[in-house]
Amino acid sequence: MCDHCGCGQPEDHHHTHDTSGRTIELQQDVLAHDRQHAEALRRRLAELDARLVNVIGSPGCGKTALLVELIGKLAGRRRSIVVEGDLATTNDAERIGATGAPVYQVQTGTACHLSAHDVEHGLEHLPLERGDLVLVENVGNLVCPSMFDVGETLRIVCLSVTEGTDKPQKYPVAFREAQLALITKSDLLPHVDFDLEASLGMIRDIHPDATTIVTSARDGSGLEELATQLLAMWP
Amino acid sequence: MCDHCGCGQPEDHHHTHDTSGRTIELQQDVLAHDRQHAEALRRRLAELDARLVNVIGSPGCGKTALLVELIGKLAGRRRSIVVEGDLATTNDAERIGATGAPVYQVQTGTACHLSAHDVEHGLEHLPLERGDLVLVENVGNLVCPSMFDVGETLRIVCLSVTEGTDKPQKYPVAFREAQLALITKSDLLPHVDFDLEASLGMIRDIHPDATTIVTSARDGSGLEELATQLLAMWP
């Protein structure tokens, strides 16, 4: 149900509001609400010289492990605070919390993505300070989160080498809408059938301006380059 | 957009139909349409002594590779025909087609799941015969497809060992709604941090009656057991 405007309609809907005795069909969908929330959040963060990174990828593609290592890499250079999204459990927040970074877990129930409103709600529970890096780990899903702006400065899409070479072609929206594409779990390349060059070529075909980095949270590959990319969001 | 009743409203909506000069709000959601399509398809397949299996799992969890091997295992015992679901490409249909099985690829565009109507549409392009096994490979997504009955006799959820131990807890609906849970890519167990017993325990906690099979399309583990389970759908 739509919890953005309190109208009680389903998430993806046309409103029918009864105003002054006449029923008018507003034909206003939830995406307009989301855009308003996202723009407001982006303005608020800009005023604080903070940046927000929206991390998207399939279940189990290694988003949390990557964030844990990244937070360590950035320590002393930029403070990270984290909003975690999952249908259920606080497992990821516990893993992030072990780094010492402030973290809040949003549990979406059956919802397949985080909304800007979810992220605003998460930030209410976090000590957001001037200059912070807000890392948002979206629900594990390579489809739906691609359609929702959560107020980000930068969107990252992750693709693990265990998922297969052709995923950029099969989930093109996710790669078209992300400025930075990470290949994750590169340490597993010797054990899987993944054609790295072919997959990177598919990403470039879909999004010629995207930056790509090959990473491994296990052996540290690409993490310094990733940290550099994120720090470059501040001029 | 709703392509079930042709009303042109968004997928997940309340209808506002103008009937005989009065605007009435039917408050009828798309799930009711889906249920009607699913029930009709299930009846039609039952009349043909056919069975339909809905295969759900994350992107890259090995659904296609598993189906390719399964079709071979069943050859001579039960004919398989396949409906493939993806946002884009016909890659999976080509892999299935190489086995000789009749296959049709549904391309969903931006839609995150297959509907019963999609499957009906796919079957229009396939030579469905008495006693067939209809294998439906859903869009790679561990969230949304769980909420949609596509007319199946049996639902399978796949979890690859590369995705991590705790996925049943984090995506509980997928495991609650599937009668058969497959652990896939078990050949990669030596290379990943996956606690097989713990993950199977989580599945049992969520769905005590579920059958679980540990499989690998690469080394053939569990495939005969899977074939046996599917053949048991015919008394």
Side-chain angles (χ1 to χ4, degrees):
Chain A
M1 298 300 280
C2 173
D3 57 3
H4 302 283
C5 67
C7 70
Q9 301 267 4
E11 266 276 327
D12 193 351
H13 65 291
H14 287 200
H15 287 286
T16 304
H17 288 278
D18 195 322
T19 307
S20 64
R22 292 196 319 153
T23 298
I24 55 169
E25 193 169 358
L26 293 178
Q27 305 246 344
Q28 181 183 353
D29 66 34
V30 75
L31 292 172
H33 289 278
D34 269 339
R35 273 192 296 272
Q36 288 165 17
H37 278 282
E39 290 302 335
L41 178 55
R42 201 156 21 235
R43 277 196 304 274
R44 182 181 154 214
L45 292 171
E47 283 164 13
L48 281 170
D49 197 32
R51 302 289 184 272
L52 193 152
V53 175
N54 180 10
V55 183
I56 286 175
S58 301
C61 71
K63 297 181 290 302
T64 314
L66 198 84
L67 290 183
V68 164
E69 297 304 319
L70 178 66
I71 290 164
K73 276 272 172 205
L74 289 169
R77 296 190 279 177
R78 185 61 67 178
R79 194 178 84 131
S80 304
I81 68 174
V82 183
V83 176
E84 283 289 335
D86 266 310
L87 276 67
T89 82
T90 55
N91 295 358
D92 288 356
E94 287 160 27
R95 290 169 66 191
I96 297 289
T99 69
V103 57
Y104 184 79
Q105 177 85 48
V106 176
Q107 293 180 325
T108 65
T110 58
C112 50
H113 65 279
L114 287 179
S115 66
H117 186 73
D118 289 328
V119 175
E120 288 175 323
H121 174 68
L123 285 173
E124 285 169 12
H125 296 265
L126 290 170
L128 176 63
E129 289 175 9
R130 177 162 290 278
D132 274 352
L133 171 61
V134 183
L135 297 166
V136 175
E137 182 179 343
N138 221 305
V139 176
N141 184 336
L142 203 49
V143 187
C144 313
S146 307
M147 290 120 184
F148 293 87
D149 179 357
V150 300
E152 64 252 35
T153 317
L154 176 75
R155 185 178 296 182
I156 296 178
V157 62
C158 299
L159 169 61
S160 78
V161 302
T162 63
E163 290 175 66
T165 305
D166 68 351
K167 293 301 170 291
Q169 292 182 339
K170 290 170 74 177
Y171 301 85
V173 183
F175 291 85
R176 190 177 302 131
E177 300 294 328
Q179 297 82 37
L180 178 53
L182 303 181
I183 306 294
T184 57
K185 303 193 185 184
S186 66
D187 57 285
L188 290 174
L189 276 169
H191 308 296
V192 295
D193 303 318
F194 186 83
D195 185 332
L196 183 59
E197 286 312 313
S199 201
L200 290 169
M202 291 172 191
I203 295 171
R204 280 190 295 270
D205 287 345
I206 292 164
H207 193 156
D209 297 333
T211 301
T212 56
I213 307 177
V214 179
T215 69
S216 163
R218 253 193 197 167
D219 68 22
S221 302
L223 294 184
E224 185 55 38
E225 190 180 347
L226 173 58
T228 302
Q229 285 284 331
L230 298 192
L231 293 171
M233 290 190 292
W234 286 266
Chain B
M1 300 298 283
C2 174
D3 56 5
H4 302 283
C5 66
C7 69
Q9 301 266 3
E11 265 278 326
D12 195 353
H13 66 291
H14 288 197
H15 287 284
T16 304
H17 287 278
D18 194 321
T19 307
S20 64
R22 293 194 322 152
T23 298
I24 53 168
E25 191 171 0
L26 292 180
Q27 306 244 347
Q28 181 180 356
D29 66 33
V30 75
L31 291 171
H33 289 278
D34 269 338
R35 273 193 296 272
Q36 288 166 16
H37 278 281
E39 290 302 335
L41 178 54
R42 201 158 19 238
R43 278 195 303 273
R44 182 180 154 215
L45 293 171
E47 284 164 14
L48 281 169
D49 197 32
R51 303 288 184 271
L52 193 151
V53 176
N54 181 10
V55 183
I56 285 176
S58 301
C61 72
K63 297 181 290 300
T64 314
L66 197 84
L67 290 182
V68 164
E69 297 304 318
L70 178 65
I71 290 164
K73 275 271 171 205
L74 290 169
R77 296 190 278 178
R78 184 63 64 177
R79 194 179 84 132
S80 304
I81 68 173
V82 183
V83 177
E84 282 288 334
D86 266 310
L87 275 68
T89 84
T90 55
N91 295 358
D92 288 356
E94 287 160 26
R95 291 168 66 190
I96 297 289
T99 69
V103 58
Y104 183 78
Q105 177 85 49
V106 176
Q107 292 178 324
T108 65
T110 56
C112 50
H113 64 278
L114 287 178
S115 66
H117 186 73
D118 289 328
V119 174
E120 288 175 323
H121 174 69
L123 286 172
E124 286 170 12
H125 296 265
L126 290 170
L128 177 63
E129 289 175 9
R130 176 161 291 280
D132 274 352
L133 170 62
V134 183
L135 297 167
V136 175
E137 181 180 345
N138 221 304
V139 176
N141 183 336
L142 202 50
V143 187
C144 313
S146 307
M147 290 124 186
F148 293 87
D149 178 358
V150 300
E152 64 252 35
T153 317
L154 175 76
R155 185 177 296 182
I156 296 178
V157 63
C158 299
L159 169 61
S160 77
V161 301
T162 63
E163 291 175 67
T165 305
D166 68 351
K167 293 301 170 290
Q169 291 182 338
K170 291 171 73 178
Y171 302 85
V173 182
F175 291 85
R176 190 176 301 131
E177 299 295 327
Q179 297 82 36
L180 178 53
L182 303 181
I183 306 293
T184 58
K185 304 193 184 185
S186 66
D187 57 285
L188 290 175
L189 275 170
H191 308 295
V192 295
D193 303 317
F194 185 84
D195 185 332
L196 183 59
E197 285 312 312
S199 201
L200 290 169
M202 290 172 191
I203 296 171
R204 280 191 295 269
D205 286 345
I206 292 164
H207 193 156
D209 297 333
T211 301
T212 56
I213 307 177
V214 179
T215 70
S216 163
R218 254 192 196 167
D219 68 21
S221 301
L223 295 183
E224 185 56 37
E225 191 179 347
L226 172 59
T228 302
Q229 285 284 332
L230 298 191
L231 293 171
M233 291 190 293
W234 285 267

